[in-house]
Amino acid sequence: MPEGHSIRHLATVHSYGFLGTTVQASSPQGRFAEGAALINNRTMTDVTCKGKHLFFHFDHDIVHVHLGLYGWFTTRKNKGQDAKESTRLRITNKDYTSDLVGPTACEVFDNQRYLAKINSLGPDPLKTDADAEEAWNKIKKSKKTIGQLLMDQSVIAGIGNVYRAEPLFLSSQSPFVLGKELHRGKFDSLWRDSVRLLQVGAEDGKIKTVAEHHLTNDEVKLHGCTQTSYVYKRTGNPCRVCSSAVQADDMGGRTLYWCPNCQR
Ligand SMILES: [Zn+2]
């Protein structure tokens, strides 16, 4: 699932390709025909994002996109390519074309709805002005587990299943500890690792969370062109640190990956 790092990457790509230009918008699939007509032949005045939410601004009309589990953009230099039938939104200018398929949300917001959405989200670790205290104030009062809280977008915006699993591992933190019982030092370390790992992911557009000395020889050869993790999707494989089998459990409807030995 695209997490905060992908959305930041997409915001950068779309700023580069479309910001300040007049765009033609259409909805080949038809489900966003009205919205596309509203922004067609208008100037994209800003591109913003918070957590997993991406916004294209056309003055006071703002297209809100949430990719969900299956949504994705394909952005290319123009070569007269046809849009797939499933394309919800196509935006194009004289140089670039970007096609959006399969999003959970693609809708037009006015300024009020935009601000309401932004304000409903917790701090985004990728923002330089993100206030970690805002997240800590919610976590330290909560009876939910830290594994659940990290995925709650109103607590921290942009973290999904990968960026829940990996910082918890790096902090040697059990996912099952309740927010109200979490040590402040552990929270600081979780926040710090979230910032660092999301930044790496946003720059590369790929998830890379493993230190080089923890990679296998084969992975070292591939480093830079493959995604690596400590525990995410490594069920049954030996932990890179202690060799115990990585475990998977269901937590809040999503698979939680963790090392029962390192994260006690
Ligand atoms: Zn381990």
Side-chain angles (χ1 to χ4, degrees):
M1 178 180 179
E3 301 189 24
H5 71 297
S6 323
I7 305 308
R8 169 60 72 93
H9 186 73
L10 288 170
T12 307
V13 165
H14 285 88
S15 292
Y16 179 82
F18 298 100
L19 188 58
T21 71
T22 301
V23 305
Q24 284 70 53
S26 59
S27 178
Q29 180 199 42
R31 283 180 61 187
F32 188 60
E34 219 174 290
L38 186 68
I39 58 165
N40 188 35
N41 287 322
R42 290 174 63 184
T43 302
M44 193 183 282
T45 50
D46 205 357
V47 180
T48 57
C49 63
K50 187 171 185 187
K52 300 178 188 174
H53 300 262
L54 180 61
F55 304 93
F56 301 132
H57 299 245
F58 297 84
D59 293 317
H60 296 299
D61 294 314
I62 302 160
V63 177
H64 165 237
V65 175
H66 187 274
L67 293 176
L69 282 173
Y70 306 108
W72 195 245
F73 279 98
T74 307
T75 308
R76 293 160 296 193
K77 279 206 155 188
N78 287 338
K79 283 186 189 149
Q81 55 274 53
D82 290 331
K84 285 186 191 163
E85 253 177 58
S86 58
T87 305
R88 182 80 56 90
L89 168 65
R90 164 170 275 203
I91 48 177
T92 180
N93 62 14
K94 65 182 177 50
D95 296 316
Y96 294 96
T97 296
S98 190
D99 289 336
L100 169 64
V101 295
T104 295
C106 177
E107 57 198 335
V108 179
F109 278 180
D110 58 15
N111 222 28
Q112 201 178 352
R113 282 187 74 195
Y114 169 66
L115 290 175
K117 174 55 75 184
I118 293 287
N119 292 333
S120 72
L121 299 167
D124 175 346
L126 279 171
K127 303 262 182 203
T128 47
D129 61 351
D131 183 6
E133 292 306 312
E134 216 184 295
W136 173 241
N137 286 337
K138 287 183 182 159
I139 289 170
K140 73 180 183 189
K141 291 181 206 142
S142 178
K143 291 178 188 162
K144 289 184 185 165
T145 63
I146 185 61
Q148 287 172 300
L149 289 162
L150 288 178
M151 297 277 274
D152 181 341
Q153 300 301 299
S154 70
V155 176
I156 300 179
I159 291 189
N161 218 6
V162 185
Y163 291 109
R164 152 171 84 175
E166 298 291 289
L168 280 168
F169 176 83
L170 287 166
S171 304
S172 310
Q173 176 61 54
S174 160
F176 303 101
V177 163
L178 303 183
K180 66 188 178 96
E181 284 161 7
L182 186 74
H183 290 291
R184 174 65 206 231
K186 290 286 190 180
F187 169 75
D188 290 340
S189 134
L190 285 169
W191 178 266
R192 220 170 22 242
D193 285 328
S194 302
V195 171
R196 182 175 63 81
L197 298 178
L198 281 163
Q199 277 174 351
V200 170
E203 275 163 30
D204 292 4
K206 278 197 199 90
I207 294 168
K208 277 190 253 164
T209 61
V210 183
E212 190 126 338
H213 64 276
H214 283 142
L215 294 170
T216 63
N217 288 339
D218 283 350
E219 285 169 335
V220 170
K221 282 184 214 148
L222 289 167
H223 207 205
C225 53
T226 187
Q227 301 201 155
T228 55
S229 66
Y230 280 102
V231 287
Y232 178 72
K233 287 208 168 163
R234 293 193 68 243
T235 317
N237 285 304
C239 169
R240 294 179 190 277
V241 173
C242 75
S243 301
S244 304
V246 171
Q247 198 164 321
D249 287 282
D250 179 83
M251 184 182 267
R254 300 290 303 280
T255 307
L256 167 80
Y257 303 91
W258 61 297
C259 172
N261 185 40
C262 293
Q263 296 174 258
R264 279 191 274 191

